[in-house]
Amino acid sequence: MRRKLPSLVLAVLVALATAGVATAANGGFTPVEPASPNAHHIQHAYYLVLGFTAAIFVLVETLLVVFVVKYRSRGRARAVEGAQVLGHTRLELIWTAIPVVILAIIAGFVFYELPNIDSAPAAADPIHITVEGHQYYWQFDYPNHARSIGTLHVPAGAVVDLKVVSPDVIHSWWIPALGGKLQAIPGRINHTWFKADTGSYDGQCAELCGVFHASMRATVRAESQQAYQHYLTSWRGTIGKQIWNGVCATCHGNLGQGGYGIAIANNSLLTQKSGLEGILRNGFTGPGGAMPPVGETWTQEEIDALAAYVKKHIYKSAPVGATSGG
Amino acid sequence: MAARSEAAYPVGWKNGRVASWLVTVDHKRIGILYIATSLVWFVAGGILALLMRTQLATPNEAFLTKNSYNEVMTMHGTTMIFLVVIPILAGFANFLVPLMIGARDMAFPRLNALSYWLFLLGGIILWLSWFAKGGAAHAGWWSYPTLSENFPFTSPGHGQDYWILSLHVLTLSSLLGAINFIVTIHNMRAPGMTWMRMPLFVWAIETYAILLLVALPALSAAITLLLLDRTVGTHFFIPSDGGSIVLYQHLFWFFGHPEVYIMVLPVFGMISEILPVFARKPIFGYKAVAFSTIGIAFFSMLVWAHHMFTTGLPVGLDSFFMISSMVIAVPTGIKIFNWIATTWRGNLIFDTPMLFALAFIALFTMGGLSGIFLAAFPVDWQVNDSYYIVAHFHYVLFGGSAFGFFGGLYYWWPKMFGRMLDERLGKWHFWLLFVGFNLTFLPQHMLGLLGMVRRIYTYHHGGIWEAYNLISSIGSGVMGVAILVFLINVWRTNVFRKGVRAGNDPWLADTLEWYTTSPPPPHNFDTVPYVTSARPLRDLRRRLAEQPQ
């Protein structure tokens, strides 16, 4: 029994380690698979820190366990004293100096990686896109005044410079595969960048921004140059639907049947563009509830597109008997 | 002994069973009041945590509404920080500092009573905010504007105002307490107790008090400006009118980071008291441990903006705060290594206080090391505001502070009440809490790296997200059971009086509080021995053993 125990422990450890490695790619032991150079370089820094901290962790916990086992009382009386060691100056110096060296290495490596993380490649001519965080949606403005809601279209492999702003409360832009977070702070303009491989990448607002914080998701779609150009010219055709899905439906439900906000499917305001515009731009506060000025920064085109969309697809389309809630 | 001293007071209404607690200015009773009140809020804040973990157990859960989740989350954080960890440590400090330095009481006993009653008042104000118009505060425990401003879609109603008022009252309480501790420690030490013979817990309280004095005014300033914004129409933090949100973040975290050490330094002190007694050894490197406390306190005032790496600070500032945050890891490491060295060649006795102290070292190491990732600011950009952070600070504040104060409760309980907490229940409490804690918070590191942001009331991902969240929620339930075991233990010991009676010094400890009776008489000591080392009680035991009777 005694002899079997160590081999059993070893087997369990090996199994755990194997399982750990097997799941490391997607089990949450490292940040998600990077798809942009800045995220790649953050990953490098992560691995370096992980290497040192894991070694220190194993050292500290092993020492603790070994001492606990080795110096346990084994029935000795409480009055029996251990070795009356008061300290050891050289040891103190060693365990002060070694962490200093390790931390200096980590800091040095961070500075070495920093240019690849913090700034976009110098030669590239970036595409400038404005990311505007709103309660509770992400709005993207493209160079030719095109706009999208919730989904950011970019050409794969192109350097994209993001100007991150907010008109209402602090939000935080984060697409894990495309690099770190950056707060969208009212009154400030922040910049970040990425260069995405082809694919679709999800993220969500990382700073508490109110009641629908959890619904404030974003997707970056890195697609071919043609698909990107196609979006820039065809955005007007879908913006009404995008706004409905990305903004209105969060509170009022997919079909306007109501949810956190009131049921609006049968509300005749949906057919009156000027009334609708007033509420979208200025918000509304009344005894029955309140609505934020979700459309305060929208263009006339967008308001028109939304008005046309809701008139056609939402008005009177919810199941009959849908109740109006508060 | 105790009975005789009490009888010496004139009999009156003040000696009633309840009244005597209401009018007390005795540091021991005030300490016990602090600890008991904090434990009540610990249970309340824990229930809030269980509500959140229930909501997050499965995707798209509808156990709590979005609104109430934000309230529960804000109240959990604020309660645990301001009504549990800080005041329970103030309670320990109240009870222990005069006893450990051989004093009769705190320097200002009435001020001390005022501190406690302000703490109770502040707590009541915070918890009354559930009934405020618009519900309790729901902008998170740091209450960043503009979400905490008085606009229709941020924080209308009075919950946020109650939160501000409560923090003002609690700040006042802590400031008065801090002044009291400093004056007491500086002026009332026993004859012979030089600074280098002072118990390490007292060193920790000295630095804790200094940090409170330095850090709290920044919080008071920030929330005063916020209150003005909300009520009289100023716009310190409203950018559209020229205010600055980043200013609030600086003010808040100038308080908020020293705050972390305010919550953990006294616990470091407790560990430095408990470990040697149960290892039957002196602390390894007394001076290194004492001076590292001061080092940590000093550097804790220079690291605040590492909470703001994602606000788009200039790289130069990010770099400064990365380096200062890494520097603070060095004195923390010194402590860890000295504690481990204290167990080396000891006669380790695994009573419950020791189990908690050893677990503290194991868990705090984890929390400290995950902090290195956060100091390296590009890595922080990835993990900040995700569940990784939630895991990190719970390893520091629960694995660290809470495991430490539970160890302290088991250790000093006999001194407070004259009876020992039950060892068997204590061990159940410990193991359930240890397993439950790791089940709850270990998977949260992975969740954060997978992209789960903090403070969301729900998520829609299944698969591994759901698995980790479910494990975490189950773990929180195990922790709940552990706390129940603790409460049963307390009930059994103090109410049913089943606890074994403790003598003056049940653990054969080192410091002066064990020189007097358990519980001590109102005046603490009839005589105080001349202190010749940091371990006066061991000296005394040895002298007694040497003297032929």
Side-chain angles (χ1 to χ4, degrees):
Chain A
M1 187 63 209
R2 267 259 157 129
R3 218 172 284 162
K4 269 185 188 164
L5 197 66
S7 53
L8 192 70
V9 170
L10 192 70
V12 170
L13 283 179
V14 168
L16 278 179
T18 321
V21 171
T23 53
N26 53 11
F29 294 90
T30 64
V32 296
E33 186 60 29
S36 171
N38 50 350
H40 272 291
H41 289 280
I42 288 178
Q43 194 93 328
H44 295 166
Y46 177 87
Y47 278 125
L48 184 87
V49 180
L50 183 66
F52 280 117
T53 51
I56 297 170
F57 181 78
V58 169
L59 174 78
V60 168
E61 307 288 350
T62 308
L63 276 179
L64 192 61
V65 171
V66 167
F67 288 178
V68 159
V69 172
K70 193 163 175 204
Y71 302 115
R72 68 187 189 278
S73 178
R74 284 199 184 94
R76 278 181 283 174
R78 196 181 292 273
V80 177
E81 293 191 323
Q84 298 298 301
V85 187
L86 289 167
H88 192 284
T89 309
R90 195 184 299 165
L91 265 179
E92 299 284 352
L93 290 175
I94 289 173
W95 63 48
T96 306
I98 292 178
V100 168
V101 172
I102 291 176
L103 291 167
I105 293 172
I106 293 175
F109 190 73
V110 166
F111 287 126
Y112 168 75
E113 289 286 359
L114 190 60
N116 298 318
I117 299 169
D118 190 45
S119 17
D125 183 21
I127 299 170
H128 295 278
I129 293 175
T130 301
V131 176
E132 203 168 278
H134 283 260
Q135 287 177 317
Y136 301 97
Y137 65 93
W138 292 103
Q139 172 179 298
F140 306 102
D141 286 319
Y142 300 83
N144 73 337
H145 303 296
R147 183 169 274 184
S148 66
I149 305 280
T151 301
L152 171 59
H153 298 264
V154 294
V159 174
V160 179
D161 170 77
L162 299 176
K163 179 172 138 185
V164 182
V165 294
S166 162
D168 44 40
V169 299
I170 305 176
H171 304 276
S172 185
W173 168 253
W174 189 34
I175 306 291
L178 302 180
K181 293 173 198 69
L182 188 61
Q183 288 183 7
I185 304 176
R188 268 178 83 95
I189 296 171
N190 278 335
H191 280 274
T192 185
W193 70 282
F194 62 74
K195 184 178 154 209
D197 306 333
T198 306
S200 183
Y201 309 100
D202 291 333
Q204 69 184 108
C205 174
E207 182 67 46
L208 179 68
C209 58
V211 67
F212 274 99
H213 170 51
S215 306
M216 198 169 156
R217 299 189 198 120
T219 301
V220 172
R221 202 161 287 159
E223 51 204 13
S224 68
Q225 186 67 31
Q226 292 92 314
Y228 171 68
Q229 291 299 340
H230 176 73
Y231 182 77
L232 291 193
T233 51
S234 69
W235 68 280
R236 287 181 184 81
T238 57
I239 193 71
K241 187 178 178 194
Q242 287 185 48
I243 291 177
W244 173 263
N245 288 336
V247 184
C248 314
T250 305
C251 290
H252 294 292
N254 288 338
L255 301 168
Q257 76 275 24
Y260 187 75
I262 58 168
I264 53 171
N266 296 332
N267 193 324
S268 60
L269 198 64
L270 292 187
T271 60
Q272 298 160 14
K273 199 166 78 189
S274 62
L276 192 61
E277 179 169 355
I279 271 198
L280 291 171
R281 288 208 190 281
N282 304 320
F284 166 81
T285 329
M291 172 171 150
V294 286
E296 61 183 335
T297 61
W298 293 346
T299 61
Q300 194 60 45
E301 267 182 309
E302 288 174 274
I303 302 267
D304 293 350
L306 176 66
Y309 181 81
V310 295
K311 192 170 174 182
K312 188 166 173 206
H313 295 283
I314 303 301
Y315 183 56
K316 301 245 179 194
S317 68
V320 181
T323 53
S324 65
Chain B
M1 172 87 226
R4 195 184 63 206
S5 317
E6 268 164 20
Y9 292 106
V11 177
W13 67 272
K14 287 181 183 174
N15 296 75
R17 238 178 131 177
V18 176
S20 66
W21 284 88
L22 295 180
V23 301
T24 187
V25 293
D26 179 339
H27 72 99
K28 298 178 290 298
R29 291 192 149 197
I30 292 173
I32 289 169
L33 284 172
Y34 257 111
I35 290 172
T37 313
S38 306
L39 286 176
V40 170
W41 267 310
F42 179 70
V43 171
I47 290 170
L48 297 182
L50 292 177
L51 293 178
M52 284 191 286
R53 279 316 321 169
T54 309
Q55 164 67 19
L56 292 171
T58 53
N60 302 315
E61 180 62 59
F63 176 74
L64 290 179
T65 65
K66 315 167 193 31
N67 269 331
S68 50
Y69 185 89
N70 287 353
E71 289 174 28
V72 166
M73 172 266 292
T74 303
M75 289 292 280
H76 165 76
T78 311
T79 298
M80 286 305 192
I81 288 168
F82 292 100
L83 303 184
V84 180
V85 180
I86 301 179
I88 204 171
L89 298 176
F92 276 104
N94 255 301
F95 187 87
L96 291 173
V97 166
L99 285 171
M100 282 183 160
I101 63 173
R104 190 203 181 285
D105 203 313
M106 295 280 284
F108 309 114
R110 281 188 174 75
L111 194 68
N112 200 21
L114 179 64
S115 290
Y116 168 73
W117 292 105
L118 283 174
F119 154 55
L120 182 67
L121 177 68
I124 290 172
I125 291 170
L126 186 70
W127 274 67
L128 276 180
S129 74
W130 291 109
F131 308 105
K133 190 178 118 200
H138 48 261
W141 85 271
W142 57 57
S143 286
Y144 278 173
T146 45
L147 192 61
S148 54
E149 294 278 4
N150 188 7
F151 296 127
F153 301 98
T154 55
S155 294
H158 294 305
Q160 193 68 45
D161 299 321
Y162 273 81
W163 182 90
I164 293 170
L165 179 61
S166 158
L167 259 54
H168 268 138
V169 173
L170 292 169
T171 299
L172 201 57
S173 157
S174 289
L175 282 175
L176 297 177
I179 293 167
N180 214 343
F181 289 131
I182 292 174
V183 175
T184 306
I185 294 169
H186 280 248
N187 294 303
M188 297 169 69
R189 299 197 305 280
M193 186 178 280
T194 60
W195 287 94
M196 285 301 126
R197 293 176 190 165
M198 210 163 70
L200 285 163
F201 178 76
V202 180
W203 265 110
I205 294 303
E206 167 81 11
T207 29
Y208 155 93
I210 292 171
L211 275 182
L212 281 169
L213 285 185
V214 174
L216 282 173
L219 174 69
S220 301
I223 60 178
T224 302
L225 300 182
L226 182 61
L227 184 70
L228 292 174
D229 274 10
R230 291 179 52 83
T231 53
V232 305
T234 58
H235 20 73
F236 292 104
F237 306 128
I238 302 172
S240 53
D241 295 320
S244 166
I245 291 176
V246 178
L247 172 66
Y248 180 90
Q249 298 194 8
H250 279 293
L251 287 172
F252 187 85
W253 290 116
F254 185 80
F255 146 78
H257 200 83
E259 167 74 0
V260 174
Y261 290 95
I262 287 166
M263 291 190 281
V264 85
L265 284 179
V267 179
F268 286 174
M270 290 184 195
I271 301 303
S272 304
E273 297 298 335
I274 294 171
L275 271 182
V277 170
F278 292 89
R280 313 307 304 150
K281 282 185 63 191
I283 186 90
F284 194 91
Y286 174 97
K287 282 186 183 170
V289 175
F291 291 142
S292 62
T293 305
I294 297 170
I296 290 172
F298 177 76
F299 285 109
S300 78
M301 292 180 244
L302 295 173
V303 299
W304 76 91
H306 71 213
H307 295 267
M308 299 165 58
F309 282 153
T310 63
T311 56
L313 295 176
V315 168
L317 271 186
D318 280 346
S319 306
F320 172 84
F321 284 104
M322 169 177 75
I323 291 168
S324 61
S325 306
M326 287 180 167
V327 166
I328 215 167
V330 175
T332 312
I334 291 174
K335 279 185 183 295
I336 301 264
F337 291 124
N338 278 295
W339 288 326
I340 290 179
T342 302
T343 64
W344 178 65
R345 293 180 60 199
N347 172 20
L348 305 185
I349 298 168
F350 301 118
D351 291 326
T352 310
M354 182 64 159
L355 293 180
F356 276 105
L358 292 169
F360 167 93
I361 300 175
L363 299 175
F364 187 82
T365 299
M366 178 80 181
L369 290 173
S370 62
I372 305 285
F373 292 82
L374 309 176
F377 59 92
V379 181
D380 180 80
W381 291 341
Q382 219 8 285
V383 293
N384 182 280
D385 271 331
S386 74
Y387 258 81
Y388 187 92
I389 297 280
V390 179
H392 160 74
F393 69 70
H394 280 96
Y395 266 85
V396 172
L397 286 180
F398 202 106
S401 302
F403 271 77
F405 72 62
F406 276 124
L409 285 175
Y410 280 90
Y411 180 56
W412 282 295
W413 202 269
K415 186 52 64 183
M416 290 175 186
F417 301 104
R419 289 173 191 276
M420 319 275 287
L421 284 167
D422 184 61
E423 270 295 309
R424 208 158 59 102
L425 284 174
K427 279 172 181 147
W428 273 102
H429 170 203
F430 169 76
W431 284 108
L432 284 170
L433 197 67
F434 186 77
V435 171
F437 171 81
N438 283 299
L439 275 181
T440 307
F441 294 108
L442 197 63
Q444 293 187 359
H445 292 100
M446 290 77 142
L447 279 170
L449 291 169
L450 286 169
M452 181 165 172
V453 301
R454 67 191 285 197
R455 297 179 162 177
I456 47 174
Y457 74 95
T458 192
Y459 53 95
H460 63 287
H461 314 63
I464 196 154
W465 278 53
E466 185 177 2
Y468 282 144
N469 270 300
L470 190 60
I471 292 171
S472 180
S473 296
I474 291 169
S476 70
V478 177
M479 288 168 80
V481 175
I483 302 304
L484 271 182
V485 172
F486 169 69
L487 295 178
I488 290 169
N489 200 351
V490 168
W491 196 264
R492 190 182 166 281
T493 304
N494 284 32
V495 181
F496 290 151
R497 296 175 180 266
K498 290 227 173 116
V500 179
R501 279 217 176 261
N504 288 8
D505 186 13
W507 312 114
L508 299 188
D510 294 336
T511 39
L512 277 184
E513 76 270 29
W514 304 102
Y515 182 65
T516 184
T517 54
S518 304
H523 60 282
N524 290 352
F525 302 96
D526 290 336
T527 55
V528 179
Y530 187 87
V531 177
T532 52
S533 80
R535 306 161 78 196
L537 245 64
R538 177 172 176 274
D539 300 342
L540 209 65
R541 279 197 303 273
R542 285 167 65 91
R543 276 207 296 278
L544 283 174
E546 281 163 15
Q547 273 171 11
Q549 288 296 314

